[in-house]
Amino acid sequence: MSLDRADVAKIAHLARLAVDGDEADAVARDLSRILDLVAQMSVVNTGGVPPMAHPLDMPQRLRPDVVTEPDRRDDLQATAPATEAGLYLVPRVIE
Amino acid sequence: MEWETVIGLEIHAQLATRSKIFSGAPTAFGAAPNTQACEIDLALPGVLPVLNAEAVRMAVTFGAAIGAAVARRSVFARKNYFYPDLPKGYQISQYEQPIVGRGQVEIALDGGGTKTVGVTRAHLEEDAGKSLHEDFHGMTGIDLNRAGTPLLEIVSEPDMRSPAEAVAYARKIHQLVRYLGICDGNMQEGSFRCDANVSVRRRGSDRLGTRTELKNINSFRFLERAIQYEVERQVDLIENGGAVVQETRLYDPARDETRSMRSKEEANDYRYFPDPDLLPVVLDEDDIAAIVATMPELPDAKRERFERAYQLSAYDAGLLTATRETADYFEAVAQGCGDAKLAANWVMGDLAAALNRDGREIADSPVDAMGLTGLLQRLRDGTLSGKLAKDVFAAMWAGEGSADAIIEARGLRQVSDVGAIEAIVDQVIAANPDQAGQLRAGKDKVMGFLVGQVMKASQGKANPAQVNEILRRKLLDS
């Protein structure tokens, strides 16, 4: 399977990555080769094999429903570029 | 052309845990911005989510309540999209292996009868933060207190055929999650949110039309109106030669219409994949059985039991089991006073009216179950007449104390002493010779007038049944 520049542009946009011009061709080639490898693996019959969600064969550990985190807003906001009235400020987003 | 409406609902129920789904930060509503957002909620590097056991328990109880298969193994996945109130760049959700599989609920239809609505699935996920678009010098403010709050997303089959059915289904789920104690159901605060997928098709067609998704609906009334508006819009569009575009639309209650959200250039492409930070959630039979054993009696079962045990009509039993609080209240009063019918009448009558008038919930009623029980006991033993009981109830509502204390303080004890009532009856007969004569002559209609006069003279304290009897004896049997 091969990807073209338009595919790369779409994927890059979804990932918010800037991939332009010549780079896009190279990325398209690399990604296509990865897909070729996947295609090769698809040949193997995996009919009776359940999909693996995690390489560790262990169940998730659960934590009790207890509040353990105190308010540390001042510390945590110390590294934020802009805050006001307790809010993190970001470039305007409009729905 | 006859059109058929097809509706499916996606309900997000905020689970009533103390801490977040993947962190130990608190979930209380209304805290100052970002005071309940820890490193995990902020997606700082190096943090690891750890799943809240209580969120899992709550999801399992919901699954059991709708007769669904609870997954022995479920998997968390990353739903990838960029928005500033989602600091990780993905939402942790469940995709291919949700914790709750297919189930169903039964709804009551307006014209009588019931209908089964399928629940496709219910899965655990985290909520995002909130964006405040007021002007912060041209910037947007982000509050991440809500980020990481546990949600149970309940997805229905497209089984509803009218706005009323959609509301009945939403109310049913609302009732269930509140009975289970897994969600406070507060729609204004966003603890219970409904998105509606709506499409229309020509009646008789078995193909679904193109649907739109309605968001921003924060009451059952708005749910009904939003769907109504959207159905009309879609039918108009098609009948005028247009086509429905699959899109998300926001309901605007002020204008009672739905509006297209700025359409995204990209179709939703969330690129789900299993979250490597979280292992599969594994539950065995014993885990599930232990959780199911903690479940309270559910509304349908309670309604049937009330009908049977207290000989209530289906309608009354439905009203009295609408919420767990009402059912518990009624049951305490019915058992305390020993007369279920009387208890039902008071809970659905005077109590409901007073709650409604003051905009209160039964849980914070000024007259609690014990208080009402005390009042009804005095009604049953003849201390109070029905009229006086209403007065005492009003006084209890105003905070004047228990029924007994008010009866004592106001001297309201019903007069049941035959001699005392006879004396008053004699006075009334003497003062109203014409009416007394009419009654003697067989004009039964004046009976009410004479009883009224006696009640008035006794300041409402005479036992009306005795007054009746004595009047008849004196004027008719002589």
Side-chain angles (χ1 to χ4, degrees):
Chain A
M1 183 175 174
S2 72
L3 295 177
D4 60 21
R5 281 178 73 146
D7 295 323
V8 171
K10 179 172 181 249
I11 297 164
H13 175 71
L14 286 170
R16 300 297 187 272
L17 293 174
V19 179
D20 51 9
D22 301 341
E23 207 182 354
D25 290 327
V27 170
R29 269 195 307 279
D30 288 349
L31 289 179
S32 297
R33 289 178 60 203
I34 292 171
L35 289 177
D36 288 343
L37 178 66
V38 173
Q40 211 175 324
M41 292 193 285
S42 295
V43 173
V44 182
N45 182 0
T46 54
V49 183
M52 184 180 73
H54 203 283
L56 290 181
D57 186 21
M58 290 167 60
Q60 174 66 34
R61 275 182 52 185
L62 307 180
R63 44 170 265 277
D65 181 27
V66 177
V67 173
T68 53
E69 304 302 313
D71 169 22
R72 292 180 47 234
R73 184 176 78 185
D74 291 346
D75 292 343
L76 293 169
Q77 292 197 334
T79 55
T83 60
E84 187 176 316
L87 299 164
Y88 294 92
L89 297 191
V90 300
R92 168 112 73 170
V93 252
I94 296 175
E95 285 269 294
Chain B
M1 179 58 62
E2 271 234 75
W3 296 94
E4 182 176 54
T5 303
V6 177
I7 306 160
L9 294 185
E10 288 172 20
I11 294 174
H12 287 85
Q14 184 178 312
L15 296 177
T17 56
R18 282 186 286 271
S19 66
K20 293 190 176 174
I21 185 168
F22 299 119
S23 84
T27 55
F29 181 82
N34 292 306
T35 54
Q36 300 186 154
C38 70
E39 290 89 334
I40 291 174
D41 309 320
L42 263 45
L44 293 189
V47 298
L48 199 61
V50 185
L51 183 59
N52 186 335
E54 186 65 0
V56 172
R57 187 193 68 80
M58 289 175 167
V60 171
T61 63
F62 179 78
I66 60 163
V70 173
R72 301 304 185 256
R73 185 172 185 277
S74 62
V75 172
F76 282 96
R78 293 185 178 181
K79 177 179 179 178
N80 298 280
Y81 67 92
F82 286 99
Y83 207 75
D85 57 25
L86 186 76
K88 291 192 294 294
Y90 58 85
Q91 177 192 26
I92 304 179
S93 182
Q94 296 189 306
Y95 188 54
E96 284 178 324
Q97 300 183 65
I99 187 157
V100 174
R102 180 175 283 271
Q104 60 189 46
V105 295
E106 209 160 77
I107 59 170
L109 299 177
D110 276 349
T114 59
K115 172 173 182 165
T116 300
V117 176
V119 174
T120 315
R121 56 183 279 163
H123 63 256
L124 284 166
E125 63 182 25
E126 60 178 344
D127 207 345
K130 276 186 180 161
S131 302
L132 292 104
H133 299 288
E134 296 103 79
D135 193 17
F136 292 99
H137 333 288
M139 311 268 279
T140 291
I142 304 290
D143 176 6
L144 294 172
N145 279 351
R146 204 180 62 183
T149 298
L151 300 176
L152 187 65
E153 179 173 341
I154 303 156
V155 183
S156 85
E157 290 288 300
D159 284 348
M160 280 79 67
R161 292 289 175 272
S162 69
E165 284 184 20
V167 170
Y169 166 79
R171 283 188 184 279
K172 185 77 187 198
I173 298 292
H174 188 255
Q175 182 190 39
L176 262 184
V177 296
R178 294 191 61 207
Y179 256 80
L180 292 168
I182 64 175
C183 172
D184 69 19
N186 189 324
M187 295 179 83
Q188 271 69 50
E189 291 178 4
S191 305
F192 188 88
R193 313 197 278 268
C194 294
D195 299 338
N197 289 311
V198 178
S199 63
V200 297
R201 64 181 171 192
R202 288 168 208 279
R203 198 168 292 282
S205 164
D206 54 4
R207 267 193 35 226
L208 291 172
T210 304
R211 66 165 195 268
T212 56
E213 183 177 5
L214 310 183
K215 285 183 178 284
N216 198 38
I217 298 167
N218 65 3
S219 77
F220 294 121
R221 193 163 58 95
F222 290 160
L223 176 63
E224 187 157 15
R225 285 167 52 177
I227 296 171
Q228 261 159 10
Y229 172 86
E230 183 59 16
V231 168
E232 283 168 28
R233 189 190 70 85
Q234 291 187 10
V235 169
D236 279 355
L237 201 59
I238 299 169
E239 286 184 345
N240 288 307
V244 176
V245 179
Q246 183 166 343
E247 62 179 353
T248 301
R249 299 177 68 86
L250 289 182
Y251 178 65
D252 179 349
R255 305 170 70 159
D256 192 22
E257 62 179 28
T258 65
R259 275 204 306 271
S260 180
M261 279 175 75
R262 190 178 63 105
S263 76
K264 293 172 186 134
E265 303 119 52
E266 306 292 332
N268 289 345
D269 187 349
Y270 294 126
R271 294 150 294 140
Y272 284 95
F273 63 88
D275 190 329
D277 283 348
L278 289 153
L279 292 153
V281 179
V282 176
L283 297 166
D284 63 26
E285 303 299 326
D286 291 347
D287 297 331
I288 294 170
I291 291 170
V292 170
T294 67
M295 281 171 57
E297 184 181 28
L298 296 175
D300 289 350
K302 202 183 273 286
R303 195 188 63 238
E304 281 162 28
R305 180 169 64 79
F306 276 21
E307 283 183 49
R308 248 187 357 260
Y310 300 114
Q311 324 234 295
L312 298 171
S313 69
Y315 181 78
D316 288 357
L319 281 183
L320 290 169
T321 54
T323 68
R324 199 167 145 188
E325 290 77 13
T326 304
D328 289 349
Y329 190 109
F330 159 75
E331 200 151 36
V333 176
Q335 287 172 0
C337 80
D339 185 340
K341 191 65 204 157
L342 184 68
N345 288 342
W346 273 81
V347 171
M348 293 184 296
D350 291 73
L351 178 74
L355 290 170
N356 196 31
R357 183 191 65 222
D358 289 5
R360 282 172 179 269
E361 295 293 323
I362 200 163
D364 52 33
S365 165
V367 178
D368 64 10
M370 219 170 106
L372 186 60
T373 300
L375 175 66
L376 299 192
Q377 279 167 343
R378 293 295 85 83
L379 190 55
R380 288 196 77 210
D381 69 13
T383 307
L384 292 174
S385 64
K387 162 83 179 63
L388 283 180
K390 284 177 188 291
D391 295 344
V392 173
F393 179 79
M396 292 169 75
W397 190 267
E400 291 180 31
S402 71
D404 283 339
I406 292 163
I407 290 167
E408 204 54 51
R410 296 189 172 187
L412 292 177
R413 202 163 284 279
Q414 174 166 274
V415 178
S416 298
D417 172 37
V418 178
I421 298 177
E422 279 190 336
I424 301 173
V425 169
D426 288 340
Q427 283 171 26
V428 167
I429 291 174
N432 301 280
D434 291 353
Q435 285 84 354
Q438 287 170 17
L439 186 65
R440 277 203 188 89
K443 282 198 173 179
D444 233 27
K445 271 197 240 164
V446 293
M447 187 64 160
F449 169 79
L450 290 168
V451 171
Q453 292 301 306
V454 175
M455 294 305 292
K456 198 171 159 192
S458 73
Q459 291 166 317
K461 287 189 253 175
N463 180 327
Q466 280 179 308
V467 170
N468 245 289
E469 190 210 308
I470 292 169
L471 266 170
R472 280 183 189 282
R473 177 155 47 77
K474 284 187 180 287
L475 295 174
L476 297 176
D477 301 346
S478 56

